[in-house]
């Protein structure tokens, strides 16, 4: 890759800034579109005449031979298009359970407990308000948080260093979605018809087997998904759950090194000899290197966020608001139960469960995430817009009571937003948040760290990785390309972060590299380990030492020595202080890099970032373990 191809005209923006702004911008835009739908619906519903109600009750029909189905435009949105929304929810649930936040049970225990309490407490409060009126069965209206509005509200508030809170709320929202889906399926169905239900189960089995098809998987998922929707509809279960079922049966997996390397090889072949055959092969290889779960989510999410959800808001938020309606709402136990359940129930349940789990020691918040921020997020979780409005006509039969419930949902969402904003703003003034892991915790030490490049280089890359990680830089070549680009102007520093759960051989591979480093061949061993990532058993490691010409007896002694173990553990502790939990993680000029870590992105981020302090060391007379003169610090 040439140098000219790496840089756009003008100074580039760093990857972390771009990514954070893109996330906040997407959240805000989605919330803005939904708010626009709400505003239009309210204005339309309060115009003279009943055009709003008449429009959404327009009948539509489908006929095939002697069979026909009739439904309204409102049903098309709520039972048809909203299936796509629940499909995306299912994809996210599957991804988080398989490769996301919910795979680390120790880190997920707090948001999981908080989400469960955030489901139970609001329902209990609603039931208390409606025990004597016969509407207690509508408790499902208050249990769920609107993820899109929640993240949009957080982006609008814009607190500093909000990434931890956003991750916590996302994890909580996934568990919240699981609970809401179970509630809809178990408590809000019209009775089970056995034959269509059996057909639905058979279709789900066929859907699970689609992953084994050599071609046409996308088409097969679409056809079986449509058939499953019909079977679920006829079985008496709400048909939107068909979207969830299909999503949970679609496989998800992290990118595999072999697939990525295959794509790179085909891309190189296409570059050298452009042809339609190579172009098609490159397209297929790139597609297959990412799971279909993530491809569908990325491709469909904009249409759902900016199309389906605003349309749903337009179709469901329109309620006539006049003096009589407001008076009835103020006197309605259903309305008060909804407001109290969403605003107070979510706040009390989530905040209380978080505090309790921390006090008992069952779980801990992520570093840098304070309880007042969790309380602010809990208050924002009272925005229950989408699922709440979705369940109103299902859980409540009386049309007038439905209108009162919609008014209460809208009021609760506004109150929850203001409540959350106040808690976060006041809390941040009293206890200002500080970034965690933004700066490198321990400066580079030339007498303990493994460094390639001159110590007085103006650019520095510190990489935390493990030798079994398929995407650490020596495997993908990104750092090699950066070093080729900068030459003597960059130094690369390797530090260990063995991820024991996904990479069971990473710890001993790190020990082997350190033991080889005791004989001056750390980087030679590192290259060997990356080249043989599928063969990292202890016998393999000792064979590599022999191939490198090391003293095998000394290697064996150093392999299990306290010095080697302490070096790796020190790197692990540094990573824990900075809350690092993925590999590779890069620090560029002492600041954590967030975003893509391909060579072009690293180069742009290095050149766009602030200058680092340069430590010029006198070269020691003896080995690296000997004494050295104190460093002289200067600004680049």
């Amino acid at each position: 890759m040439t140098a000219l191809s790496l840089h756009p005209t003008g100074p580039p923006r760093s990857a972390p800034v771009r990514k954070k702004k893109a996330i906040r911008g997407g959240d805000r835009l989605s919330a803005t579109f939904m708010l626009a739908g709400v505003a239009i619906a309210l204005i339309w519903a309060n115009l003279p005449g009943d055009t709003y109600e008449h429009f959404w009750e327009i009948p539509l029909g489908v006929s095939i031979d002697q069979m026909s189905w009739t439904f309204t435009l409102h049903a098309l949105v709520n039972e048809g298009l909203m299936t796509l929304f629940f499909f995306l929810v299912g994809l996210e649930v599957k991804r988080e359970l398989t490769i996301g936040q919910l795979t680390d049970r120790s880190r997920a225990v707090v948001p999981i407990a908080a989400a469960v309490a955030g489901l139970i407490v609001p329902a209990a409060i609603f039931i208390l308000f409606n025990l004597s009126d016969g509407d207690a069965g509508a408790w499902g209206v208050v249990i769920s948080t609107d993820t899109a509005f929640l993240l949009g509200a957080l982006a609008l508030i814009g607190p500093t260093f909000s990434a931890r809170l956003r991750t916590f709320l996302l994890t909580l929202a996934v568990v919240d979605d699981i609970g809401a889906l179970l509630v809809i399926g178990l408590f809000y169905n019209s009775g089970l018809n056995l034959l269509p239900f059996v057909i639905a189960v058979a279709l789900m089995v066929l859907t699970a087997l689609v992953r084994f098809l050599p071609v046409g998987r996308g088409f097969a998922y679409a056809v079986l998904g449509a058939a499953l929707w019909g079977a679920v509809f006829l079985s008496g279960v709400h048909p939107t759950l068909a979207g969830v079922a299909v999503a949970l049966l679609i496989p998800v997996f992290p990118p595999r090194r072999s697939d990525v390397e295959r794509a790179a090889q085909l891309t190189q072949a296409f570059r050298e000899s452009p042809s339609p055959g190579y172009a098609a092969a490159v397209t297929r290889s790139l597609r297959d290197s990412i799971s279909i779960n993530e491809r569908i989510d990325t491709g469909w999410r904009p249409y759902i966020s900016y199309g389906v959800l605003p349309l749903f808001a337009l179709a469901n938020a329109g309620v006539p608001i006049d003096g009589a309606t407001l008076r009835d709402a103020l006197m309605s136990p259903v309305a008060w139960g909804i407001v109290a359940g969403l605003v107070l129930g979510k706040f009390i349940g989530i905040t209380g469960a978080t505090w309790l789990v921390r006090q008992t020691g069952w779980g801990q918040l992520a570093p840098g995430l304070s309880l007042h921020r969790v309380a602010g997020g809990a208050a924002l979780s009272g925005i229950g817009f989408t699922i709440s409005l979705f369940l109103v006509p299902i859980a409540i039969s009386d049309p007038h009571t439905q209108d009162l419930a919609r008014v209460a949902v809208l009021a609760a969402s506004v109150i929850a937003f203001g409540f959350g904003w106040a808690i976060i703003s006041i809390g941040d003034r009293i206890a200002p948040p500080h970034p965690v892991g933004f700066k490198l915790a321990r400066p580079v030490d030339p007498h303990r760290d493994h460094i390639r490049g001159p110590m007085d280089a103006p650019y520095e890359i510190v990489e935390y990785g493990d030798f079994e990680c398929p995407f650490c830089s020596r495997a993908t070549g990104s750092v090699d390309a950066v070093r080729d680009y900068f030459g003597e102007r960059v130094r690369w520093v390797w530090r260990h972060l063995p991820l024991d759960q996904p990479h069971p051989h990473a710890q001993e591979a790190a020990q082997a590299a350190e033991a080889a480093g005791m004989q001056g061949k750390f980087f030679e061993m590192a290259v060997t380990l990356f080249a043989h990532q599928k063969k990292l058993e202890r016998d393999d490691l000792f064979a590599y030492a022999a191939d490198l010409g090391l003293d095998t007896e000394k290697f064996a002694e150093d392999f299990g020595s306290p010095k080697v173990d302490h070096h790796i553990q020190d790197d692990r502790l540094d990573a824990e202080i900075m809350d690092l939990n993925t590999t590779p993680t890069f620090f560029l000029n002492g600041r954590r890099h967030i975003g893509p870590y391909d060579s072009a992105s690293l180069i742009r981020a290095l050149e766009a970032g602030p200058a680092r302090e340069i430590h010029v060391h006198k070269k020691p007379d003896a080995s690296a373990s000997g004494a050295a003169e104190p460093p002289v610090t200067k600004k680049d």
Side-chain angles (χ1 to χ4, degrees):
M1 185 177 292
T2 63
L4 291 176
S5 67
L6 296 174
H7 302 279
T9 304
R13 183 175 289 156
S14 66
V17 173
R18 286 200 314 272
K19 184 174 182 180
K20 290 177 182 177
K21 287 191 175 182
I23 290 173
R24 289 197 298 266
D27 292 342
R28 287 173 182 164
L29 186 60
S30 176
T32 300
F33 274 50
M34 291 180 69
L35 282 172
V38 173
I40 294 171
L42 287 173
I43 294 171
W44 186 2
N46 286 277
L47 291 174
D50 295 325
T51 57
Y52 180 84
E53 291 290 339
H54 290 326
F55 177 80
W56 293 110
E57 292 303 318
I58 290 175
L60 303 173
V62 175
S63 297
I64 301 176
D65 196 15
Q66 296 181 351
M67 297 182 296
S68 63
W69 295 270
T70 303
F71 48 90
T72 65
L73 195 57
H74 186 267
L76 175 64
V77 173
N78 281 30
E79 299 180 5
L81 293 181
M82 282 300 285
T83 301
L84 301 178
F85 166 73
F86 283 102
F87 176 65
L88 279 194
V89 170
L91 290 176
E92 184 175 19
V93 169
K94 177 67 175 288
R95 191 165 58 252
E96 291 297 326
L97 288 170
T98 307
I99 61 174
Q101 292 287 331
L102 298 182
T103 57
D104 186 348
R105 303 300 184 256
S106 62
R107 293 193 62 128
V109 65
V110 178
I112 288 175
V116 172
L119 293 167
I120 295 173
V121 175
I125 290 176
F126 180 88
I127 290 172
L128 286 176
F129 272 86
N130 291 274
L131 272 176
S132 60
D133 283 12
D135 288 313
W139 54 268
V141 173
V142 300
I143 63 171
S144 187
T145 296
D146 189 305
T147 306
F149 263 135
L150 172 66
L151 298 181
L154 184 64
L156 287 172
I157 296 171
T160 57
F161 313 125
S162 60
R164 295 286 173 202
L165 177 58
R166 189 179 189 277
T167 300
F168 178 89
L169 293 177
L170 269 176
T171 307
L172 183 146
V174 169
V175 181
D176 183 278
D177 287 338
I178 294 172
L181 296 173
L182 289 174
V183 165
I184 293 171
L186 294 174
F187 297 99
Y188 295 102
N189 59 68
S190 58
L192 194 64
N193 295 321
L194 189 58
L195 180 59
F197 182 77
V198 171
I199 295 173
V201 172
L203 288 170
M204 285 190 282
V205 172
L206 293 176
T207 303
L209 297 175
V210 167
R211 69 181 66 189
F212 301 109
L213 291 177
V215 293
R217 290 188 293 270
F219 177 75
Y221 280 126
V223 172
L224 289 172
L228 180 61
W229 185 94
V232 171
F233 176 79
L234 294 174
S235 71
V237 179
H238 202 278
T240 52
L241 293 184
V244 180
V246 173
L248 294 177
L249 294 171
I250 290 178
V252 59
F253 52 83
R256 292 183 286 257
R257 180 188 175 191
S258 57
D259 292 336
V260 173
E261 290 183 342
R262 171 66 175 163
Q265 292 168 359
L266 288 170
T267 301
Q268 180 65 27
F270 176 76
R271 182 179 180 181
E272 294 172 356
S273 178
S275 69
Y278 276 140
V282 169
T283 301
R284 284 195 303 270
S285 66
L286 290 173
R287 184 185 64 237
D288 292 342
S289 64
I290 303 296
S291 70
I292 188 171
N293 175 295
E294 295 173 286
R295 297 202 308 271
I296 294 175
D297 187 282
T298 301
W300 287 24
R301 187 164 293 275
Y303 301 103
I304 306 302
S305 298
Y306 308 140
V308 172
L309 290 179
L311 186 60
F312 171 82
L314 181 63
N316 289 271
V319 55
I321 300 179
D322 51 27
T325 302
L326 292 177
R327 183 176 62 252
D328 290 347
L330 288 173
M331 301 295 293
S332 169
V334 170
W336 279 108
I338 289 173
V339 172
L342 285 172
V343 177
L344 296 179
K346 286 289 184 181
F347 174 74
I348 295 170
I350 293 171
T351 307
T354 301
W355 178 84
L356 182 62
V357 170
R358 290 180 67 200
Q359 290 298 111
T360 57
W362 294 342
Q364 293 294 325
L365 292 174
L369 182 57
S370 60
L371 187 60
H372 88 260
R373 285 224 161 163
V374 171
L380 291 176
S381 298
I383 303 174
F385 185 83
T386 302
I387 301 297
S388 295
L389 291 180
F390 179 80
L391 278 173
V392 162
I394 299 174
I396 301 172
S397 57
D398 179 59
H400 182 60
T401 306
Q402 290 178 8
D403 285 344
L404 302 183
R406 292 188 181 99
V407 170
V409 169
L410 297 175
S413 298
V414 173
I415 296 169
F417 176 72
F419 190 24
W421 193 337
I423 293 174
I424 292 174
S425 300
I426 295 171
D428 282 0
R429 289 185 181 182
I430 297 172
H434 299 284
V436 175
F438 179 65
K439 292 185 178 180
L440 191 65
R442 174 168 48 83
V444 173
D445 182 351
H447 307 313
R448 79 165 300 277
D449 283 315
H450 304 289
I451 305 169
R452 300 198 75 172
M455 283 301 299
D456 60 348
Y459 299 112
E460 174 188 271
I461 302 175
V462 177
E463 177 180 358
Y464 282 82
D466 75 22
F467 293 110
E468 201 172 356
C469 165
F471 297 103
C472 287
S473 60
R474 295 296 298 182
T476 59
S478 57
V479 166
D480 288 339
V482 175
R483 293 183 66 234
D484 289 343
Y485 175 80
F486 284 111
E488 294 297 300
R489 295 183 296 145
V490 69
R491 68 179 185 183
W492 171 53
V493 182
W494 172 271
R495 287 180 178 173
H496 301 286
L497 180 54
L499 301 180
D500 299 317
Q501 186 175 1
H503 304 147
H505 305 96
Q507 171 64 31
E508 289 197 339
Q511 292 173 221
E514 285 299 320
M518 303 285 280
Q519 299 184 47
K521 291 193 175 182
F522 175 87
F523 288 107
E524 290 85 347
M525 177 61 82
V527 170
T528 302
L529 296 173
F530 277 129
H532 301 88
Q533 287 187 312
K534 295 183 179 180
K535 294 183 178 180
L536 295 178
E537 300 290 344
R538 184 171 296 197
D539 290 343
D540 299 320
L541 302 177
F542 280 76
Y544 302 149
D547 293 341
L548 291 173
L550 302 178
D551 182 334
T552 53
E553 290 187 6
K554 183 176 182 344
F555 177 85
E557 181 181 346
D558 291 334
F559 181 85
S561 69
K563 184 175 182 179
V564 163
D565 182 64
H566 291 161
H567 186 111
I568 298 169
Q569 291 307 313
D570 284 346
D571 285 354
R572 280 181 181 264
L573 290 173
D574 288 341
E576 183 179 339
I577 289 171
M578 296 182 292
D579 195 35
L580 311 184
N581 47 56
T582 59
T583 57
T585 296
F586 293 97
F587 287 83
L588 308 182
N589 293 344
R591 295 174 181 267
R592 187 171 179 177
H593 174 73
I594 300 174
Y597 47 82
D598 58 281
S599 58
S601 297
L602 293 178
I603 289 170
R604 286 194 295 268
L606 278 169
E607 294 188 333
R612 75 175 185 89
E613 291 185 347
I614 297 179
H615 302 277
V616 181
H617 294 259
K618 289 187 178 181
K619 215 171 188 178
D621 294 333
S623 65
S625 60
E629 294 292 330
V632 178
T633 303
K634 68 177 184 177
K635 286 282 188 180
D636 181 29

